[in-house]
């Protein structure tokens, strides 16, 4: 009797976990496995109705995808480089802006609540509406951006295009940072609340100024939060689909051809689902490696710091 | 936190429900059946100014059909940007509507998926036979030699719309019939913030339509007989260069048009900034932008000889909407009845009149509504000088790759980079390579 009871007690947590595990399987793993299977198939519109019947292609899709001398691979590599640059810049700028704003708003002053609310607005707006508004503002002839830059401040020679050519990268970056940085702000602000006030008081007594306090107390205390924040921001930027899609539509300019759009175009616009799946799998692998490497590096750093 | 948890629960339950219906939800094996004879689902494309307008226009007609047959039609109007993806999803899952609209340029691609009911002789006879329809429109329903994958519903073609006042001010007495005349007229008008011609440089489909018609005039088809892409043929390169040169060399298109993709060129036309646009059935849009019908005129799209016709005299792609039946339908009989209803003479007259399109059912074209200045030109173009886009399974890739090449070339021209035969050929070459897997 007692063994049964013990067994039951030991098994109970697993039993309770089971529904969650099943859901996890259905929601995440199944589509992922299907995606991986698809990447080995020659899946075009001809087999869309019954994709299981599509012929196997072995590593063919991957070979096409990584062959940088042919157009598919060459454009994918280009898109990869663009995405890396875009992600690093977005994460960096979002973190800087978010941290600066959060530290600035630590002090209690009149209008602090209002400022906080204003800073969080982009995060609360529906993305589609916000980005389409940016798309209007970036229009060459009637947009607000050129109106301010050219007509009012006379900063540019002519009216530059923002949604075409090389400038499109800048436009994309501005919108992405605008919509993402409030999240960094929110997270850092929450973390700041957890730093004991007496640390600052003690430091002030010892004669440490603002800059020194930030360097010696604030930033080290934020370290664990920052590790997660940077990772999440990076994964989001790397996979960002909404911003480029709403700004540029199905075919982004070369300078702003993010991987997510590129893969979408390869799969759903040119109906080449096999190649698209192969690209997705490669992207997944890359992100896994980056994440694992990052976690390993940062946790080792923390151990050193703790010791 | 509570909200977050609620959201997670909702999401998982929805996912589960979707998964369950995906496994268990039944399509009868072997495709078409008649096991639910009193209802139909219909996906209509967005034809009017907005989805609500379409519901208002179609609603009474569906009621009429219900009164005649006792079959209730559940309508969903789907905006253009979503339609193809919705059809693809329906095709993959097998969970589609009974009857749906498709863009006629997708016919061959969707035919290749095998998801649409083929209109063999028996099915065609059920709706009155081949001869009721305009032959070129029926050609745009699938690959030649195969049973059509859909039936033409609303037909369209391109025409040249011009601003009468701006022509008068520039001392031009009649619309151009050849491209040389168009360029000359355009140059006379393009001054002081006014421009000769409008374009939608960022709209891939529009780019492809213009490139295709010009390609025909240069003897290029973009594909050879065996279906291999020939985007870099001399004719194709010359056609695309001619179109880009309107901006790059002739300077009759405003550089800003390179980024247009939401029909901004029509607004420029309606507000007197641009004197000409090449468009399909623009009357309702002009009216919505406050332009009166007597302020604009319509002429056939120019051709080198001045007289539109077949072959090298082609001046429009054959545009329009087809109606198709999903092979998995639970109500084949009803679906056929519904197509019969929608392609009947009276419905064709009524619906095409409302939407400003041309009935592909020839008997319905007698109505005076199809004899106005614009509809008359469109009707004649359809009958005489419009050709369907290549009916090949890879049409969708063609649209994207060449459409993007034209978009990039417009961007080059707008930025002041030189556009040469070599640079056009290079862009088209890249597009061609993307077609080969």
């Amino acid at each position: 009797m007692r063994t049964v009871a013990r067994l039951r007690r030991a098994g109970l947590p697993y039993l309770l976990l089971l529904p969650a595990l099943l859901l996890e399987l259905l929601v995440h793993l199944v589509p992922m496995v299907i995606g991986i299977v698809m990447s080995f198939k020659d899946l075009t519109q001809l087999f869309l109705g019954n994709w299981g019947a599509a012929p196997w292609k072995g590593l063919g899709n991957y070979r096409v995808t990584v062959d940088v001398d042919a157009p598919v691979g060459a454009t994918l590599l280009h898109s990869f480089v663009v995405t890396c640059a875009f992600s690093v810049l977005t994460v960096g700028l979002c973190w800087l802006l978010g941290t600066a704003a959060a530290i600035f708003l630590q002090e209690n002053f009149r209008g602090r609540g209002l400022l906080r609310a204003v800073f969080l607005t982009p995060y609360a707006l529906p993305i589609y509406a916000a980005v389409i508004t940016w798309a209007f503002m970036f229009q060459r002839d009637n947009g607000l951006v050129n109106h301010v830059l050219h007509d009012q401040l006379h900063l540019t020679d002519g009216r530059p295009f923002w949604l075409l050519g090389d400038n499109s990268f800048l436009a994309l970056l501005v919108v992405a940072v605008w919509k993402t940085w409030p999240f960094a702000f929110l997270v850092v602000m929450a973390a700041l609340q957890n730093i004991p006030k007496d640390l600052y008081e003690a430091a002030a007594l010892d004669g440490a100024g603002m800059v020194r306090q930030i360097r010696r107390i604030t930033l080290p205390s934020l370290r664990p939060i920052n590790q997660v924040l940077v990772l999440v921001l990076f994964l989001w930027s790397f996979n960002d689909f909404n911003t480029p899609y709403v700004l540029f539509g199905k075919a982004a300019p070369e300078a702003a051809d993010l991987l997510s759009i590129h893969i979408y175009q390869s799969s759903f616009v040119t109906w080449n689902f096999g190649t698209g799946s192969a690209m997705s799998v490669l992207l997944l692998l890359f992100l896994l490696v980056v994440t694992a490497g990052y976690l390993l590096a940062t946790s080792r750093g923390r151990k050193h710091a703790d010791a | 936190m509570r909200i977050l948890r609620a959201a997670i629960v909702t999401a998982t339950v929805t996912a589960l429900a979707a998964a369950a219906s995906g496994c268990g939800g039944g399509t009868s094996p072997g495709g078409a059946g008649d096991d639910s004879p009193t209802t139909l689902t219909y996906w209509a494309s967005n034809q009017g100014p907005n989805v609500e307008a379409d519901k208002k226009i179609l609603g009474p007609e569906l009621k009429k059909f219900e009164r005649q047959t006792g079959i209730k039609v559940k309508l969903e109007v789907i905006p253009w940007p979503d339609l193809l993806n919705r059809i693809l999803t329906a095709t993959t899952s097998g969970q589609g509507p009974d009857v749906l609209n498709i863009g006629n340029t997708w016919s061959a691609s969707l035919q290749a998926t095998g998801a649409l009911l083929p209109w063999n002789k028996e099915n065609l006879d059920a709706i009155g036979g081949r001869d009721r329809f305009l032959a070129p429109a029926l050609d745009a329903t699938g690959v030649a030699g195969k049973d059509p994958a859909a039936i033409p519903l609303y037909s369209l073609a391109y025409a040249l719309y011009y601003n009468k006042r701006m022509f008068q001010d520039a001392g031009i007495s009649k619309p151009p019939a050849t491209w040389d005349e168009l360029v000359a007229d355009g140059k006379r008008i393009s001054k002081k913030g006014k421009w000769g011609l409008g374009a939608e440089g960022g709209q891939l489909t529009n780019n492809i339509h213009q490139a295709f018609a010009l390609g025909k005039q240069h003897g290029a088809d973009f594909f050879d007989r065996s279906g291999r892409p020939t985007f870099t043929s001399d004719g194709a390169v010359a056609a695309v260069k001619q179109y880009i040169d309107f901006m790059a060399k002739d300077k009759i298109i405003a550089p800003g048009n390179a980024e247009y993709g939401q029909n901004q060129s029509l607004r420029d036309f309606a507000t007197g900034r641009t004197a000409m646009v090449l468009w399909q059935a623009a009357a309702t849009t002009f009216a919505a932008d406050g332009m009166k019908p007597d302020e604009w005129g319509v002429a056939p799209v120019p051709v080198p000889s001045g007289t539109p016709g077949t072959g090298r005299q082609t001046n429009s792609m054959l545009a329009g909407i087809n109606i198709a039946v999903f092979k998995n339908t639970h109500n084949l009989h009803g679906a056929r009845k519904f197509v019969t209803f929608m392609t009947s003479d009276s419905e064709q007259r009524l619906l095409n009149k409302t939407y400003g399109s041309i009935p592909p059912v020839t008997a319905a074209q007698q109505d005076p509504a199809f004899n106005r200045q614009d509809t008359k030109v469109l009707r004649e173009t359809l009958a005489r000088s419009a050709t369907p886009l290549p009916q090949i399974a890879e049409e969708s890739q063609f649209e994207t790759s060449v459409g993007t090449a034209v978009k990039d070339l417009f961007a080059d021209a707008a930025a002041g980079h030189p556009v040469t035969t070599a640079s056009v050929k290079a862009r088209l070459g890249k597009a061609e390579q993307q077609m080969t897997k």
Side-chain angles (χ1 to χ4, degrees), chain B residues 309-323:
Chain B
T310 51
R312 280 186 177 245
Q313 314 303 332
T314 296
N315 64 348
S316 174
M317 55 86 73
L318 189 132
I321 308 298
N322 296 343
I323 189 168

Side-chain angles (χ1 to χ4, degrees), chain B residues 108-167:
Chain B
S109 293
L110 291 173
Q111 183 178 47
T113 68
L116 303 179
L117 182 83
W119 289 83
N120 55 23
K121 190 161 185 320
E122 182 207 337
N123 288 333
L124 266 176
D125 284 347
I127 60 166
R130 280 193 99 89
D131 299 339
R132 293 186 61 237
F133 298 91
L134 199 67
L138 209 56
D139 287 344
T141 54
V143 176
K146 275 194 182 174
D147 290 329
I151 300 298
L153 187 62
Y154 316 123
S155 286
L156 282 170
Y158 276 84
L160 176 78
Y161 291 80
Y162 62 96
N163 184 317
K164 287 184 185 166
R165 180 65 173 281
M166 288 171 80
F167 266 50

Side-chain angles (χ1 to χ4, degrees), chain A residues 118-135:
Chain A
V118 169
F119 284 177
L120 286 177
T121 337
Y123 194 54
L125 285 176
I127 279 306
Y128 187 88
V131 178
I132 201 107
T133 309
W134 275 103

